[in-house]
Amino acid sequence: MIQFDNVSKRYPGGHEALSGVSFHIQPGEMAFLTGHSGAGKSSLLKLIALIERSSRGQVFVDGQNLSRLKGRHIPHLRRKIGIVFQSHNLLFDRTVFDNVALPLIIAGYHQSEVGRRVRAALDKVGLLNRDKAYPITLSGGEQQRVGIARAVVNRPPLLLADEPTGNLDPELSREIMGLFEEFNRVGVSVLIATHDHDLISRLDHRLLTLSGGRLVRDGRTGELAASA
Amino acid sequence: MKRNTRKPRPRAVETEARSRPAQQPRGKINAYFTHHLWVLVSSLGQLWRTPFSTLMTTAVIGIALALPAGLHVLLNNVQQLSSGWDDSAQVSLFIKQGVPEERIRSLADKLRDWDGVAEVRYISREQALAEFRELSGFGDALDSLAENPLPAVLVLRPTLTQAEPVPMEQLLERLRQLDAVDQAQLDMEWVRRLNGIIEVGKRGALLLGALLAMAILLVVGNTIRLTIYARREEIIITKLIGATNAFIRRPFLYTGFWYGLMGAIVAWLLVAVFLGLLSAPVSRLSSLYDSQFRLGGLDFITSLSLLLSGIFLGLVGSWLAVGRHLQAIEPT
């Protein structure tokens, strides 16, 4: 689903955020991406969603070579990727329902289909009764769940999350992770960038560790506790 | 216990995700139009929520449109008025002294057969004198003259109108070459001069319109630019979710459309009010001249082109702003 072939990202000014990163995440796989801040986690996610382009090497998403993807096709790539942000990135002048409906409206779904899917997505994250609320009235955990509902409402084959539990207490974080596992169980590929070692050490998934822009470890989360 | 109610329920997950990969959304064309309609209405709603700034922008556009539109209507009115005088344009042929009356009468008969001559009226020297005595009030002075100083006159009413100035010149030239004619004078020469002035005015209104159209483009463009920057976050988020540039452009284009339309309506009202305020004094003035002239208002064609040019300018202005500024906003 995601394939990196010797990928480097150098920013103007010479800072190399990623150097020679190679890995392959299979369809239906769930993986964590960890490393200190500045290790290149965000840069790696940005390359997948084509928010930035690699300086060297090639990135494939769902079989598509992103370095050959023209600018006008980027929206269609992004529709295949559900992105969950640390800062939620919700629109605060719209209701929960309208926020979650946005990807469907963008993709041109029919009104009745939109309503059905939005309710299904909100039901999944347990916020069906808050659909008319405005995001500002929700707690941090609820806002994050709205963000997740929005990311999955279009049923993308790939889910990316950048520090999805960054601002949440441990219990809420476990709930959120549980949600991601639910989606993974039905075939969605999931890649989660996080530095929350306590949380991921309790789960059993693939773990990619970045350090100084290099992929220094590619193993299982269970090994983390042993090596630490 | 309370936390349980907040627990995510993954019930529907399996059936929902099985139906992947994303099948063709149903009724896409229909949804496309519904979406356009929705954006049309919601962009109006956005404007409604900031009534003051919307009013300001609309007023600026309205005034800028009202100036050339009002000028155009006024000039049309003046032209209307002067075209009424075209019909009364006449050529006075002053006959040389000493030409016998029979020759003048036969000349008049001959002229009646000419192309472009509708009517010929003979005013003999005696008639001219009598008329002059009656109208001028110099009767006593005339009595002291030994001889009638006035020439005989043939008054021609041409069928040609002022709209065709060249044939009129040719007719005058032919008349001047007649032996018996001392002088051929086109009365109401000033009507043509007035028409000339109107033409200058119309050209001026056109140029003024062009300048103000550019001003409207700048006003709309700048307003849309500010709206784009105010909604920067929203644009970035929708781009991340997979919105095409066309999708993001749409609400701003419709906002430009509304600005243009509302500005045109304001302009129409301004011109209508102005004409309304002018019409009573104009009627009074024209009745003093025994004229039936009434100030003409905004006709259908003028109103329609006013609305269309407002909408056009609004759309183009927002298109320019969107083209320039939307590309610059990319998620980082």
Side-chain angles (χ1 to χ4, degrees), chain B residues 108-128:
Chain B
D109 286 338
K110 202 172 86 187
L111 287 178
R112 281 192 186 94
D113 293 336
W114 278 23
D115 277 344
V117 177
E119 196 185 300
V120 181
R121 191 158 53 91
Y122 172 54
I123 301 171
S124 69
R125 297 180 65 196
E126 291 70 31
Q127 280 171 318

Side-chain angles (χ1 to χ4, degrees), chain A residues 5-20:
Chain A
D5 282 343
N6 201 20
V7 173
S8 299
K9 174 66 188 175
R10 183 190 291 273
Y11 286 102
H15 170 62
E16 194 157 76
L18 292 173
S19 28

Side-chain angles (χ1 to χ4, degrees), chain A residues 79 94 113 145 155, chain B residues 6 16 20 26 234 242:
Chain A
R79 287 177 201 178
R94 301 190 194 184
E113 184 79 359
R145 270 145 63 188
R155 293 174 199 154
Chain B
R6 292 183 58 184
E16 281 295 313
R20 274 197 298 107
R26 265 189 291 155
E234 184 182 336

